[in-house]
Amino acid sequence: QYKQQHGHLNISRKEDQSLYNFCQNVRTGRNNPDGGGMKITGERIKALDKIGFPWARKWASTRGTRTEANKAFESRLADLRQYKQQHGHLNISRKEDQSLYNFCQNVRTGRNNPDGGGMKITGERIKALDKIGFPWARKWASTRGTRTEANKAFESRLADLRQYKQQHG
């Protein structure tokens, strides 16, 4: 029903924060296989494809003009410079600064999904981010548990996605 009404399985943060985060982690894991995050195997990709998982997050296309987007990017780049000056690194945690953390995730996703409809990461932007030492691969904690636990967690969340699809279409 949800998919029929909305034409997608892009779960919003407001609908289900946990499942939304899982979907974002799946996308990031597939787009950054060496990033140390969730491992997305061929088997997992097939299981997600089977339920129609949307690999590219559909962002609103009414975000303003390209000039406004460039101004916003420059402003956030300045925020990153300031953060690095204060902390000596750019591995920003969600707890420290949710907004800047989200910006960094959007930058990574935009670079890894140039056709995904998200943030446009041009060569000029990549150079500017490289210049300040932007960490393209997110530094995940290495104490996340065993691979078996990760597989169990993935299977559980995949079941949640199946249930969501069943309930919403």
Side-chain angles (χ1 to χ4, degrees), residues 15-137:
E15 287 177 299
D16 187 329
Q17 175 75 46
S18 176
L19 197 54
Y20 170 86
N21 288 341
F22 171 76
C23 292
Q24 291 299 90
N25 290 337
V26 165
R27 291 182 188 102
T28 301
R30 183 176 186 189
N31 293 320
N32 295 305
D34 299 324
M38 184 184 292
K39 300 295 180 202
I40 305 300
T41 63
E43 184 178 308
R44 287 180 171 185
I45 290 169
K46 286 178 187 175
L48 290 161
D49 283 345
K50 188 174 180 179
I51 64 167
F53 184 80
W55 291 104
R57 179 79 175 113
K58 303 296 182 206
W59 303 102
S61 60
T62 57
R63 289 192 166 186
T65 66
R66 183 59 46 210
T67 303
E68 291 168 347
N70 285 337
K71 287 179 185 174
F73 181 85
E74 289 301 321
S75 173
R76 298 309 287 180
L77 188 60
D79 293 342
L80 285 172
R81 286 187 191 107
Q82 181 179 4
Y83 181 94
K84 186 171 183 178
Q85 188 175 23
Q86 290 175 344
H87 301 278
H89 63 82
L90 288 173
N91 291 313
I92 300 152
S93 74
R94 183 178 284 132
K95 288 180 183 177
E96 287 177 303
D97 188 330
Q98 175 76 45
S99 176
L100 199 54
Y101 171 87
N102 287 341
F103 172 76
C104 292
Q105 292 299 92
N106 291 338
V107 165
R108 291 181 187 101
T109 301
R111 183 176 187 189
N112 292 316
N113 286 317
D115 299 324
M119 184 184 291
K120 301 296 180 207
I121 305 300
T122 63
E124 184 179 308
R125 288 182 172 184
I126 290 170
K127 285 180 188 175
L129 290 161
D130 283 345
K131 187 175 179 179
I132 64 168
F134 183 80
W136 292 104

